Amino acid sequence: MGYLTLTLAQPAAACMTYKGRSAKDLSEAKVLVRATLTKYEILEPRLKARLTLEIVESVFGARREGELVAIWENPMGSLEDVWNGSSDLLVALKSLKPRKDGAMYEIIHPLCSPPSIMEFNAVNTWILSQHFYDR
């Protein structure tokens, strides 16, 4: 009697385990801001997006109020085509070299870790800000 094994094609998982956020992951961050998401556009499906944010306040680091354009590259390829989350956000950003598209910052998203963008509330503010003050 012979055996037949079927293998279904599945996308390879980039991470065997999902790690939490660490101070090392956020070490490149220059600013932590509360912002309102005003525009979300996909640049590369599932991998890269451009976000336009209206800064409400700076939580950490020097950043004037006003509009800011940031790039979000997701190393795990799980960006949604449409933003379905809150528009009131807390975001840790690292600086980019000047770009033609106007983006000056990047949302930090290390491989196998959560991104540095989340809904604004007291718990999330505490989670992200502790990494800034522990440096």
Side-chain angles (χ1 to χ4, degrees), residues 15-99:
C15 303
M16 295 302 285
T17 59
Y18 193 71
K19 65 180 185 169
R21 187 175 287 108
S22 72
K24 182 181 177 194
D25 292 338
L26 296 174
S27 64
E28 294 180 274
K30 298 299 180 201
V31 295
L32 175 61
V33 296
R34 178 181 180 192
T36 301
L37 178 67
T38 59
K39 189 173 184 182
Y40 175 82
E41 51 189 317
I42 293 294
L43 301 177
E44 293 177 38
R46 308 205 54 80
L47 294 173
K48 190 175 188 179
R50 179 179 21 242
L51 286 72
T52 303
L53 305 165
E54 184 68 32
I55 305 304
V56 175
E57 65 180 310
S58 289
V59 178
F60 182 87
R63 172 67 191 141
R64 62 176 176 75
E65 292 184 11
E67 189 176 273
L68 173 146
V69 177
I71 298 297
W72 182 4
E73 292 191 51
N74 186 318
M76 295 174 283
S78 59
L79 287 179
E80 297 296 326
D81 292 337
V82 177
W83 183 264
N84 292 315
S86 172
S87 62
D88 190 6
L89 301 170
L90 187 65
V91 188
L93 300 160
K94 68 179 181 179
S95 298
L96 290 174
K97 293 178 180 171
R99 296 167 45 117

